């Protein structure tokens, strides 16, 4: 199956959403290349970056699930490399 590399930029504004977000990300663990989270304490938010290598529809599904979590925003950037 063809896969693409993408980056998901996630902003968490509601700390209560972190547990659900982590559960969703855990389900997609086999596709995740790396993850970086930065707490921005002055603003009371968390900035998370996820690098993923997965089929296009898997990435879209993950982004959609994250986007449905209250207090969480997500944007996805795709590479043009398909393997």
């Amino acid at each position: 199956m063809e896969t693409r590399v993408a980056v998901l930029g996630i902003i968490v504004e509601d700390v209560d959403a972190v547990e659900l977000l982590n559960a969703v990300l855990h389900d997609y663990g086999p596709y995740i290349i790396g993850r970086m989270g930065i707490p921005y304490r002055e603003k009371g938010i968390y900035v998370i970056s996820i690098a993923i290598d997965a089929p296009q529809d898997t990435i879209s599904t993950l982004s959609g699930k994250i986007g449905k979590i209250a207090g969480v925003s997500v944007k996805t950037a795709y590479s043009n490399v398909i393997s």
Side-chain angles (χ1 to χ4, degrees), residues 10-42:
I10 304 168
I11 304 289
V12 180
E13 296 176 344
D14 181 359
V15 70
D16 294 332
V18 172
E19 188 173 336
L20 181 54
L21 174 61
N22 283 332
V24 171
L25 291 175
H26 177 77
D27 292 341
Y28 289 82
Y31 300 106
I32 294 175
I33 301 167
R35 171 180 175 170
M36 178 180 62
I38 303 169
Y40 192 178
R41 290 180 184 87
E42 292 82 9

Side-chain angles (χ1 to χ4, degrees), residues 57-81:
D57 52 336
T58 301
I59 297 169
S60 296
T61 301
L62 172 58
S63 184
K65 287 182 179 182
I66 293 170
K68 290 181 182 178
I69 300 172
V72 178
S73 302
V74 62
K75 294 292 180 188
T76 305
Y78 294 93
S79 74
N80 291 321
V81 178

